[in-house]
Amino acid sequence: MQKKHIAQKLYSLFTGELFAVIMFAVLWVLYLLMFDWAAAYLASLSSIFIFVVLEFILLQGSYYWFFKWKQVRRKDYSALPARQLRWFSRFRKCNLAFLAIALLILLDLMVSRSVERYWCLFLYLFALVEYINYYHVRLSFMSISEIKEFIRQKGFRSSKLAKELKNR
């Protein structure tokens, strides 16, 4: 029963992240098509770049949970294979580079008092939180039992992916 629960949770994480990626892109396009004011925020290269960084990081989460779900379905509860972990190590390095570029863009928007600065700040913070959530410490808690566990442990713990990358 516990194994089935784990598989269901991993499937939910994988599909939830993938659904978010797709829906964010659909909403982005719909806003551009439906609202004239949205073009000032959504059509600039700055906001598109930072949005793509966010989507890239969310896709990595979906990718990770997909592999973990496939493993559990095969009754394999070990870490991801080294080949897959190398990809996530590369992703982490790319994320840092993209987040650094996005930060420079954001700083430029703040200095120039550009109209989309707050929108880009929101996107950047969202991307940064997702990056930290996947590659460093677990920040997301979805159920009451997970929140209780967080309180009991008195602080943050490493994310699953961070542990696997550290132990490879």
Side-chain angles (χ1 to χ4, degrees), residues 17 20-25 28 46-62 94-95 98-99 102 119-135:
E17 293 293 328
V21 168
I22 293 166
M23 288 311 300
F24 290 163
W28 188 282
S46 301
S47 58
I48 290 171
F49 178 80
I50 298 172
F51 179 71
V52 169
V53 171
L54 170 62
E55 292 279 277
F56 180 61
I57 293 170
L58 290 172
L59 273 172
Q60 292 166 47
S62 180
C94 287
N95 293 337
F98 293 151
L99 286 168
W119 172 244
C120 287
L121 176 63
F122 168 75
L123 289 174
Y124 182 80
L125 291 175
F126 192 176
L128 185 62
V129 165
E130 289 297 334
Y131 168 76
I132 291 168
N133 185 50
Y134 291 130
Y135 289 96

Side-chain angles (χ1 to χ4, degrees), residues 135-157:
Y135 289 96
H136 296 284
V137 295
R138 182 176 177 204
L139 298 175
S140 60
F141 300 92
M142 298 183 337
S143 68
I144 299 296
S145 63
E146 289 175 329
I147 294 169
K148 287 179 183 176
E149 178 186 339
F150 172 74
I151 293 168
R152 269 194 314 273
Q153 71 191 18
K154 295 182 178 20
F156 295 102
R157 65 175 187 208

Side-chain angles (χ1 to χ4, degrees), residues 56-90:
F56 180 61
I57 293 170
L58 290 172
L59 273 172
Q60 292 166 47
S62 180
Y63 188 56
Y64 175 74
W65 295 122
F66 172 74
F67 282 124
K68 295 307 287 181
W69 172 68
K70 280 180 53 175
Q71 274 188 308
V72 168
R73 288 189 54 196
R74 292 189 315 264
K75 297 181 181 12
D76 176 3
Y77 298 93
S78 64
L80 290 179
R83 182 178 50 99
Q84 291 171 342
L85 288 174
R86 274 193 301 277
W87 275 105
F88 284 101
S89 182
R90 290 177 191 131

Side-chain angles (χ1 to χ4, degrees), residues 15 18 33 58 150 152 162 168:
T15 57
L18 187 58
L33 295 174
L58 290 172
F150 172 74
R152 269 194 314 273
R168 73 176 179 107

